[in-house]
Amino acid sequence: MPALASIRARFEREQPLAGLRIAAALHVTPETANLMIVLQAGGAELHLAAANPLSTQDDIAVALLERYGVAVHARRGADRATYDGHLDAALAAGPHLVLDDGCDLVSRLHTGPSQRLAGVQGGCEQTSTGVVRLRAMAAEQALRFPVLAVNDSPIQQSFANRHGTGQSTVDALVRATNVLLAGRTVVVAGFGNCGKGIADRARGLGASVVVTEVDPSRALEAAMSGFRVLPMAQAAAEGDIFVTVTGNRGVLTEAHFAVMKDHAILANSGHFDLEIDLAWLRAHCVDVRSGVRPQVDEYLLADGRRLLVLAEGRLVNLAAAEGHPPAVMDVSFAGQALCVEWLAQHAGSLEPGVYDVPPAIDRGLAELQLAAMGIRIDRLDHEQQTYLTSWRQG
Ligand code: ADE
């Protein structure tokens, strides 16, 4: 992770985070461990909780604690109460800044005892679902400190959402089931950048891809990109493999299960486990064979059909694979590290609200990444620069 390594070297010299306590709720992976080490090198004290009960890599949690002294509160497979307790333990440290992946820490800070909010100066949000929740809080004037929407930065949208989720979701489908994608119909619910990445890669492996959408522009874009666009009620009967990535709830429900093929594969790559209505499946199936392969549960329906649900309907790319590869998280977490540094300097002077990543940080990240990939680009000359800022020349 060369971008993070270069930031680490500078942070060691400059100590821009000296004296800051940071609570983070992130997926506990080797890439997150690297971010923690970089922030620690900058002088911060760190308290890390998980962002999903199935994404924690326990060996990484132990190594961070034992070798680096990071207070880690996470265990793979934690039940709801334990998972929530871990978030509370990270917040009990009294953070100045919070790093979120799904808005768990921020929403807990705003719904728990009010004194917890007292010392918090700002935060960063890593994922689309979290930014939606933050904007809802801001619209209700409920948000009490500034948060940078790291997820929304152009480089994050392209690197993490399109390339990271795209590749790691298809990787998870294949690792979990060993399914051949060529010749199968893959239904992708949601054509945001994550859905685009998944649809492109599934097509690249020979699948025939159907997209479902609720947004007319995105549906049109999917159609113009050569994907078949259908309502889910129709796609449900055609799909061999379903991937939800909408950020909403109730995307695959009873009506869809009723018409699915025997042995259809159901996976979710959206942040929360509400996209596939597992509560209905659990209540109405005749039998469940858990763990027919790692991360695969087989639900037997009354009419004899079987549906294969991956990773209990949780983020499949992190639960059944390893999430975004390091090359993606390098850019993402280099962005987080620079945003944390920026917040350390500016949070005190900002009103509560959701803020875009400063364009200079985004540009700097793209430059670091291009350098790491050995790619050089052209520069505007003086005349071109003048042309772009003048309205008199034709
Ligand atoms: N989110 C998606 N992939 C990730 C990874 N590898 N580490 C941390 N967070 C992630």
Side-chain angles (χ1 to χ4, degrees), residues 345-356:
Q345 293 158 356
H346 297 94
S349 59
L350 295 175
E351 293 296 317
V354 183
Y355 289 83
D356 286 338

mmCIF file with all atom_site columns, all heavy atoms in Angstrom, residues 345-356:
data_model
loop_
_atom_site.group_PDB
_atom_site.id
_atom_site.type_symbol
_atom_site.label_atom_id
_atom_site.label_alt_id
_atom_site.label_comp_id
_atom_site.label_asym_id
_atom_site.label_entity_id
_atom_site.label_seq_id
_atom_site.pdbx_PDB_ins_code
_atom_site.Cartn_x
_atom_site.Cartn_y
_atom_site.Cartn_z
_atom_site.occupancy
_atom_site.B_iso_or_equiv
_atom_site.pdbx_formal_charge
_atom_site.auth_seq_id
_atom_site.auth_comp_id
_atom_site.auth_asym_id
_atom_site.auth_atom_id
_atom_site.pdbx_PDB_model_num
ATOM 1  N N   . GLN A 1 345 ? -6.995  19.734 11.657 1.00 0.00 ? 345 GLN A N   1
ATOM 2  C CA  . GLN A 1 345 ? -6.661  21.162 11.489 1.00 0.00 ? 345 GLN A CA  1
ATOM 3  C C   . GLN A 1 345 ? -7.902  22.054 11.418 1.00 0.00 ? 345 GLN A C   1
ATOM 4  O O   . GLN A 1 345 ? -7.887  23.188 11.840 1.00 0.00 ? 345 GLN A O   1
ATOM 5  C CB  . GLN A 1 345 ? -5.853  21.363 10.201 1.00 0.00 ? 345 GLN A CB  1
ATOM 6  C CG  . GLN A 1 345 ? -4.488  20.732 10.244 1.00 0.00 ? 345 GLN A CG  1
ATOM 7  C CD  . GLN A 1 345 ? -3.927  20.478 8.844  1.00 0.00 ? 345 GLN A CD  1
ATOM 8  O OE1 . GLN A 1 345 ? -4.596  20.707 7.833  1.00 0.00 ? 345 GLN A OE1 1
ATOM 9  N NE2 . GLN A 1 345 ? -2.705  19.976 8.782  1.00 0.00 ? 345 GLN A NE2 1
ATOM 10 N N   . HIS A 1 346 ? -8.996  21.519 10.827 1.00 0.00 ? 346 HIS A N   1
ATOM 11 C CA  . HIS A 1 346 ? -10.115 22.409 10.492 1.00 0.00 ? 346 HIS A CA  1
ATOM 12 C C   . HIS A 1 346 ? -11.416 22.152 11.236 1.00 0.00 ? 346 HIS A C   1
ATOM 13 O O   . HIS A 1 346 ? -12.325 22.991 11.193 1.00 0.00 ? 346 HIS A O   1
ATOM 14 C CB  . HIS A 1 346 ? -10.438 22.313 8.991  1.00 0.00 ? 346 HIS A CB  1
ATOM 15 C CG  . HIS A 1 346 ? -9.319  22.763 8.112  1.00 0.00 ? 346 HIS A CG  1
ATOM 16 N ND1 . HIS A 1 346 ? -8.389  21.891 7.597  1.00 0.00 ? 346 HIS A ND1 1
ATOM 17 C CD2 . HIS A 1 346 ? -8.962  23.993 7.678  1.00 0.00 ? 346 HIS A CD2 1
ATOM 18 C CE1 . HIS A 1 346 ? -7.513  22.562 6.875  1.00 0.00 ? 346 HIS A CE1 1
ATOM 19 N NE2 . HIS A 1 346 ? -7.840  23.841 6.909  1.00 0.00 ? 346 HIS A NE2 1
ATOM 20 N N   . ALA A 1 347 ? -11.562 20.983 11.886 1.00 0.00 ? 347 ALA A N   1
ATOM 21 C CA  . ALA A 1 347 ? -12.889 20.628 12.419 1.00 0.00 ? 347 ALA A CA  1
ATOM 22 C C   . ALA A 1 347 ? -13.431 21.704 13.354 1.00 0.00 ? 347 ALA A C   1
ATOM 23 O O   . ALA A 1 347 ? -14.634 22.009 13.331 1.00 0.00 ? 347 ALA A O   1
ATOM 24 C CB  . ALA A 1 347 ? -12.828 19.278 13.131 1.00 0.00 ? 347 ALA A CB  1
ATOM 25 N N   . GLY A 1 348 ? -12.534 22.297 14.153 1.00 0.00 ? 348 GLY A N   1
ATOM 26 C CA  . GLY A 1 348 ? -12.973 23.290 15.136 1.00 0.00 ? 348 GLY A CA  1
ATOM 27 C C   . GLY A 1 348 ? -13.680 24.478 14.499 1.00 0.00 ? 348 GLY A C   1
ATOM 28 O O   . GLY A 1 348 ? -14.507 25.140 15.141 1.00 0.00 ? 348 GLY A O   1
ATOM 29 N N   . SER A 1 349 ? -13.376 24.782 13.242 1.00 0.00 ? 349 SER A N   1
ATOM 30 C CA  . SER A 1 349 ? -13.961 25.980 12.628 1.00 0.00 ? 349 SER A CA  1
ATOM 31 C C   . SER A 1 349 ? -15.130 25.637 11.706 1.00 0.00 ? 349 SER A C   1
ATOM 32 O O   . SER A 1 349 ? -15.631 26.503 10.988 1.00 0.00 ? 349 SER A O   1
ATOM 33 C CB  . SER A 1 349 ? -12.878 26.732 11.850 1.00 0.00 ? 349 SER A CB  1
ATOM 34 O OG  . SER A 1 349 ? -12.363 25.866 10.866 1.00 0.00 ? 349 SER A OG  1
ATOM 35 N N   . LEU A 1 350 ? -15.583 24.376 11.707 1.00 0.00 ? 350 LEU A N   1
ATOM 36 C CA  . LEU A 1 350 ? -16.682 23.994 10.804 1.00 0.00 ? 350 LEU A CA  1
ATOM 37 C C   . LEU A 1 350 ? -17.995 23.862 11.564 1.00 0.00 ? 350 LEU A C   1
ATOM 38 O O   . LEU A 1 350 ? -18.007 23.374 12.700 1.00 0.00 ? 350 LEU A O   1
ATOM 39 C CB  . LEU A 1 350 ? -16.381 22.647 10.152 1.00 0.00 ? 350 LEU A CB  1
ATOM 40 C CG  . LEU A 1 350 ? -15.181 22.561 9.206  1.00 0.00 ? 350 LEU A CG  1
ATOM 41 C CD1 . LEU A 1 350 ? -14.968 21.114 8.768  1.00 0.00 ? 350 LEU A CD1 1
ATOM 42 C CD2 . LEU A 1 350 ? -15.389 23.464 8.001  1.00 0.00 ? 350 LEU A CD2 1
ATOM 43 N N   . GLU A 1 351 ? -19.083 24.251 10.900 1.00 0.00 ? 351 GLU A N   1
ATOM 44 C CA  . GLU A 1 351 ? -20.420 23.992 11.451 1.00 0.00 ? 351 GLU A CA  1
ATOM 45 C C   . GLU A 1 351 ? -20.731 22.499 11.318 1.00 0.00 ? 351 GLU A C   1
ATOM 46 O O   . GLU A 1 351 ? -20.190 21.834 10.430 1.00 0.00 ? 351 GLU A O   1
ATOM 47 C CB  . GLU A 1 351 ? -21.475 24.754 10.636 1.00 0.00 ? 351 GLU A CB  1
ATOM 48 C CG  . GLU A 1 351 ? -21.407 26.263 10.736 1.00 0.00 ? 351 GLU A CG  1
ATOM 49 C CD  . GLU A 1 351 ? -21.687 26.725 12.148 1.00 0.00 ? 351 GLU A CD  1
ATOM 50 O OE1 . GLU A 1 351 ? -22.621 26.176 12.774 1.00 0.00 ? 351 GLU A OE1 1
ATOM 51 O OE2 . GLU A 1 351 ? -20.938 27.599 12.625 1.00 0.00 ? 351 GLU A OE2 1
ATOM 52 N N   . PRO A 1 352 ? -21.656 21.970 12.142 1.00 0.00 ? 352 PRO A N   1
ATOM 53 C CA  . PRO A 1 352 ? -22.086 20.588 11.923 1.00 0.00 ? 352 PRO A CA  1
ATOM 54 C C   . PRO A 1 352 ? -22.650 20.415 10.518 1.00 0.00 ? 352 PRO A C   1
ATOM 55 O O   . PRO A 1 352 ? -23.265 21.337 9.978  1.00 0.00 ? 352 PRO A O   1
ATOM 56 C CB  . PRO A 1 352 ? -23.204 20.384 12.962 1.00 0.00 ? 352 PRO A CB  1
ATOM 57 C CG  . PRO A 1 352 ? -22.924 21.396 14.016 1.00 0.00 ? 352 PRO A CG  1
ATOM 58 C CD  . PRO A 1 352 ? -22.306 22.583 13.308 1.00 0.00 ? 352 PRO A CD  1
ATOM 59 N N   . GLY A 1 353 ? -22.421 19.281 9.905  1.00 0.00 ? 353 GLY A N   1
ATOM 60 C CA  . GLY A 1 353 ? -22.954 19.038 8.560  1.00 0.00 ? 353 GLY A CA  1
ATOM 61 C C   . GLY A 1 353 ? -22.134 17.977 7.850  1.00 0.00 ? 353 GLY A C   1
ATOM 62 O O   . GLY A 1 353 ? -21.155 17.469 8.395  1.00 0.00 ? 353 GLY A O   1
ATOM 63 N N   . VAL A 1 354 ? -22.572 17.666 6.622  1.00 0.00 ? 354 VAL A N   1
ATOM 64 C CA  . VAL A 1 354 ? -21.854 16.685 5.806  1.00 0.00 ? 354 VAL A CA  1
ATOM 65 C C   . VAL A 1 354 ? -21.037 17.455 4.776  1.00 0.00 ? 354 VAL A C   1
ATOM 66 O O   . VAL A 1 354 ? -21.593 18.282 4.040  1.00 0.00 ? 354 VAL A O   1
ATOM 67 C CB  . VAL A 1 354 ? -22.841 15.725 5.097  1.00 0.00 ? 354 VAL A CB  1
ATOM 68 C CG1 . VAL A 1 354 ? -22.082 14.663 4.302  1.00 0.00 ? 354 VAL A CG1 1
ATOM 69 C CG2 . VAL A 1 354 ? -23.769 15.060 6.113  1.00 0.00 ? 354 VAL A CG2 1
ATOM 70 N N   . TYR A 1 355 ? -19.746 17.214 4.721  1.00 0.00 ? 355 TYR A N   1
ATOM 71 C CA  . TYR A 1 355 ? -18.846 17.963 3.833  1.00 0.00 ? 355 TYR A CA  1
ATOM 72 C C   . TYR A 1 355 ? -18.222 17.051 2.791  1.00 0.00 ? 355 TYR A C   1
ATOM 73 O O   . TYR A 1 355 ? -17.931 15.885 3.063  1.00 0.00 ? 355 TYR A O   1
ATOM 74 C CB  . TYR A 1 355 ? -17.714 18.603 4.653  1.00 0.00 ? 355 TYR A CB  1
ATOM 75 C CG  . TYR A 1 355 ? -18.195 19.746 5.511  1.00 0.00 ? 355 TYR A CG  1
ATOM 76 C CD1 . TYR A 1 355 ? -18.777 19.496 6.746  1.00 0.00 ? 355 TYR A CD1 1
ATOM 77 C CD2 . TYR A 1 355 ? -18.076 21.059 5.081  1.00 0.00 ? 355 TYR A CD2 1
ATOM 78 C CE1 . TYR A 1 355 ? -19.231 20.537 7.537  1.00 0.00 ? 355 TYR A CE1 1
ATOM 79 C CE2 . TYR A 1 355 ? -18.530 22.111 5.861  1.00 0.00 ? 355 TYR A CE2 1
ATOM 80 C CZ  . TYR A 1 355 ? -19.117 21.847 7.084  1.00 0.00 ? 355 TYR A CZ  1
ATOM 81 O OH  . TYR A 1 355 ? -19.567 22.884 7.862  1.00 0.00 ? 355 TYR A OH  1
ATOM 82 N N   . ASP A 1 356 ? -17.994 17.617 1.591  1.00 0.00 ? 356 ASP A N   1
ATOM 83 C CA  . ASP A 1 356 ? -17.239 16.892 0.569  1.00 0.00 ? 356 ASP A CA  1
ATOM 84 C C   . ASP A 1 356 ? -15.763 16.855 0.959  1.00 0.00 ? 356 ASP A C   1
ATOM 85 O O   . ASP A 1 356 ? -15.272 17.771 1.627  1.00 0.00 ? 356 ASP A O   1
ATOM 86 C CB  . ASP A 1 356 ? -17.347 17.604 -0.790 1.00 0.00 ? 356 ASP A CB  1
ATOM 87 C CG  . ASP A 1 356 ? -18.713 17.392 -1.409 1.00 0.00 ? 356 ASP A CG  1
ATOM 88 O OD1 . ASP A 1 356 ? -19.390 16.411 -1.032 1.00 0.00 ? 356 ASP A OD1 1
ATOM 89 O OD2 . ASP A 1 356 ? -19.102 18.226 -2.266 1.00 0.00 ? 356 ASP A OD2 1
#
